[in-house]
Amino acid sequence: MKKKRIAILGATGSIGTQALSVVREHRELFDVEVLTAAGNATLLIEQAMEFLPKVVVITDESKRAAVDEVLGSKGIEVLSGQQALEEVVQRPLIDIVLTALVGFAGLKPTIAAIKSGKNIALANKETLVVAGELIMKLAEKNEVAILPVDSEHSAIYQCLVGEEKSTLEKIYLTASGGPFRGKDATSLSTITKKEALMHPNWVMGQKITIDSASLMNKGLEVIEAKWLFGLDVDQIEVVVHPQSIIHSLVQFKDGSLKAQMGLPDMKLPIQYALTYPGRLANTFERFDFLKHPCLSFEQPDTKTFANLALAFDALRSGGNMPCVLNAANEVAVAAFLRDETGFREMSTIISETLQKIPFIASPKLDDYLQTDKEARLFAEQLVTKKKKVYQIEK
Ligand code: NAD
Ligand code: MG
């Protein structure tokens, strides 16, 4: 394999640090050319000292000087600000951009990277949730690959190797069910931030951990899958599989099912996206059937976990509605993490925002940006309005 030159957006996070462990095992195959972080200057500096990229970006402007003081003397260029992400991904020295930053912030840098012909290893699912149609068209036009890092989508991608797209009947996205699987609506209303941040099978960043507990993560993944694999909504089904061993399945026209299995470890889908179509030997722990004698399956409870139903609704409505869903969810999760709203109230905020924001059937980029702004503003107002009631009731 020719040495791949990588840019990692969001290098200091859960996916970013695991991507660097993959690279660490195969230094002969990868050059890390760009590392970026939002605010964790200490870790960014440490990573840059180890991997010696050409350039780093710290989006928090106030930390630029501190980063530059250490890395400038090592000949590493230091940039800051959100805009710098869009600039660095276009540099000719990069082959592939791993989008491991959180939320809507991933959209513009991903567009810039695609436009300059860079392949994308996509962890930032929110980009496809917000503007999936636009992104996939742009990728096709610029002949770049969008390689999924999300474990479910990586599983589907792996199952589809060697298959005719037209033979696919439907896909099953597996969901662990999160820490509150089996709970009823009443017990969900007293859930604390601490409880919601304890996922049974995966250690991840805070936002996706809350999304996993509320099943919004699965909703976002349904939308992500629709665009990645060009499916109708009815071709996508969610099945709860608490052990997280089967990462997802494809059902073909003849009824045959193909599943991709393994221990829950994000390093594998990250590595696959970075080496596709190749497979690379590694030392990751191997699956032991005797330790996992039982794999079970359940239907998701969309009555109690309304977010999954809301995501399906937004996808069926189409247009800018998934963008509204994403913005309202980002606001709701941030408010929940600040202890300003309850677990179940997050769904109310999202649902009310979806009803409020005007529908746009065929949005362009500017419409998405505007929709995101309006939806955030409205959702923030809801949080403020409901905050007092929530804190009194608590
Ligand atoms: P994280 O919070 O652990 O890390 C996020 C990284 O992005 C950090 O380096 C942070 O500094 C940077 N960042 C955050 N906000 C930013 C902003 N506004 N602008 C620029 N940089 C910013 O998150 P994570 O768990 O690694 O998730 C990253 C993405 O990957 C998310 O979209 C998530 O849904 C997706 N994903 C994560 C996992 C997982 O196991 N963690 C699995 C599947 C998909
Ligand atoms: Mg996933």
Side-chain angles (χ1 to χ4, degrees), residues 53-55 66 92 175-176 214 244 276 281 291 312 349 360 377:
K54 301 269 184 323
V55 44
S176 71
S214 73
S244 297
Y276 176 83
K291 283 191 192 153
F312 266 105
I349 291 167
I360 303 174
L377 192 66

Side-chain angles (χ1 to χ4, degrees), residues 29 46 85 220-221 238 284 347 390:
L29 296 178
E46 203 179 288
L85 297 179
L220 302 179
E221 291 183 354
V238 172
F284 305 161
S347 303
Y390 167 69

Side-chain angles (χ1 to χ4, degrees), residues 125 150-152 217 221:
K125 64 190 87 186
D150 219 343
S151 58
E152 296 76 1
N217 183 50
E221 291 183 354

Side-chain angles (χ1 to χ4, degrees), residues 14 125 151-152 174-181 192-218 221 240-245 247 264-266 305 343:
S14 159
K125 64 190 87 186
S151 58
E152 296 76 1
T174 52
S176 71
F180 310 131
R181 181 174 61 89
T192 63
K193 175 171 118 180
K194 197 170 157 214
E195 290 168 312
L197 283 172
M198 284 190 300
H199 194 277
N201 303 345
W202 302 95
V203 180
M204 310 175 283
Q206 287 203 334
K207 195 247 173 191
I208 186 175
T209 305
I210 301 301
D211 284 346
S212 298
S214 73
L215 290 205
M216 180 54 94
N217 183 50
K218 212 46 57 180
E221 291 183 354
V240 173
H241 165 48
Q243 298 80 19
S244 297
I245 295 297
H247 298 308
D265 180 351
M266 285 307 296
F305 297 89
F343 189 77

Side-chain angles (χ1 to χ4, degrees), residues 220-382:
L220 302 179
E221 291 183 354
V222 167
I223 304 174
E224 180 186 12
K226 186 220 152 48
W227 296 116
L228 259 177
F229 303 110
L231 303 171
D232 291 335
V233 188
D234 298 327
Q235 287 178 291
I236 309 170
E237 202 166 312
V238 172
V239 61
V240 173
H241 165 48
Q243 298 80 19
S244 297
I245 295 297
I246 294 185
H247 298 308
S248 278
L249 310 93
V250 177
Q251 181 172 304
F252 295 92
K253 268 202 309 211
D254 58 0
S256 178
L257 281 169
K258 255 179 157 181
Q260 188 263 339
M261 298 170 62
L263 293 171
D265 180 351
M266 285 307 296
K267 290 203 295 306
L268 182 56
I270 293 169
Q271 175 179 301
Y272 189 73
L274 293 179
T275 61
Y276 176 83
R279 283 193 187 270
L280 213 56
N282 59 34
T283 57
F284 305 161
E285 190 186 343
R286 274 16 182 188
F287 182 74
D288 177 348
F289 280 88
L290 302 183
K291 283 191 192 153
H292 304 272
C294 172
L295 302 183
S296 62
F297 306 93
E298 298 164 18
Q299 215 173 1
D301 174 1
T302 49
K303 281 220 169 69
T304 310
F305 297 89
N307 281 355
L308 180 56
L310 288 171
F312 266 105
D313 289 348
L315 183 56
R316 281 184 208 284
S317 304
N320 61 340
M321 287 299 114
C323 174
V324 175
L325 175 96
N326 178 71
N329 181 55
E330 287 191 26
V331 169
V333 171
F336 178 72
L337 288 171
R338 293 193 308 266
D339 218 6
E340 288 181 6
T341 196
F343 189 77
R344 295 196 67 217
E345 283 74 9
M346 289 195 287
S347 303
T348 318
I349 291 167
I350 297 161
S351 161
E352 289 183 22
T353 311
L354 280 166
Q355 284 163 38
K356 174 73 183 178
I357 303 302
F359 178 68
I360 303 174
S362 304
K364 307 228 172 359
L365 179 59
D366 281 347
D367 299 315
Y368 287 124
L369 301 178
Q370 187 59 26
T371 296
D372 178 75
K373 217 183 257 175
E374 281 174 26
R376 267 169 211 276
L377 192 66
F378 183 75
E380 294 282 9
Q381 286 165 353
L382 284 179

